[in-house]
Amino acid sequence: MDPQHSPYGGGPQHGPPPGQPPWAGGPYQGGPPNLPPPPPYGPAGLGPPPPQRRRTGLVVGLVAGGAALVVLAVALVLVFGSRPTRISDLAAVHGVIAADYNQDPFLGVVESDGARTVYVSLYLYDFGGPGTLREESAEVARTVWSTVPGAYDQVAVVLSGYDDPFVQVWDTRALREDFGVRPGGLEPGRTDGRAPTLNRAGECSPEFDYCNEPAEALVTENTRALMERACPLADWEAFPAEPFQIRNHDPDDYSAESSLIYLLSPVTAPDADFLTVTLLGGNDDFLEVTCQVGDDARYETYSRADYEDAVG
């Protein structure tokens, strides 16, 4: 099938089976500086103090100065990215990539083998050949390195084109070596501070509505039961503990309230496995689950009654 864009900002997708709405998300399958000398001890004209006093003052001064440097260093670390990158921080890079490639990227944050990973997937319609994909992959990684706030361990880029998907992963050392020192001022992104409600996710970025807390209805036992029913091929014992992406949506545009995505495959997989749960909010169409595991793609829509009766 021809790839198409997901209305939920998930990047290009395979089209769904005939007569069904488009998929709700997922990627296309295919030493500190030298300090100046201290000022003379004591007011001018009084001369030097006794030797013992001078040594004591020097020690006290060094201790105080060292403590001040430690406090300053801790403050700088706290301000400039000690907090791990969160899902809402992805809003900073979404618009940049969308403008560069004229499409919405598929973005997420995930723990992969203990490494906090910023993940980007794109389908490049106008690019082909492994050489071109390698060049574009480096450009995407450079954009993430210079844009995304917070602290992360690596960046994974998955590009699909007319050839096989191209996957490349940079750790922070490789990013620094390839693209230079990360720009300063990448403070953690702002959020609107909203608490989640039944239908709406909470603590979201001011733009693009990437969120850090899922809507309450998306994480209930009922929703979990419907997820397992719709996606029997998922490894539920190894199912991710945290969502890969959480979004709020404009119901006027997409007939959806909010969604979350779980990445089921490693970040190095050329063809990602994923599960998307989208909250529609209506009585007849309350919740939809999209599941892609290997070549098996499933799409189920559940009513509010289905949801309420999911757990006996």
Side-chain angles (χ1 to χ4, degrees), residues 264-286:
L264 307 181
S265 55
V267 296
T268 54
D271 297 309
D273 296 337
F274 61 93
L275 185 148
T276 301
V277 188
T278 303
L279 187 58
L280 304 174
N283 287 324
D284 294 332
D285 297 324
F286 179 69

Side-chain angles (χ1 to χ4, degrees), residues 11 64 66 69 114 120 162 193 223 278 302:
L69 287 175
V120 184
Y162 295 106
T223 297
T278 303
Y302 299 100

Side-chain angles (χ1 to χ4, degrees), residues 90-115:
L90 298 175
V93 77
H94 184 116
V96 178
I97 295 178
D100 287 344
Y101 295 95
N102 197 31
Q103 64 170 288
D104 288 316
F106 178 57
L107 302 175
V109 177
V110 64
E111 293 287 337
S112 176
D113 295 328

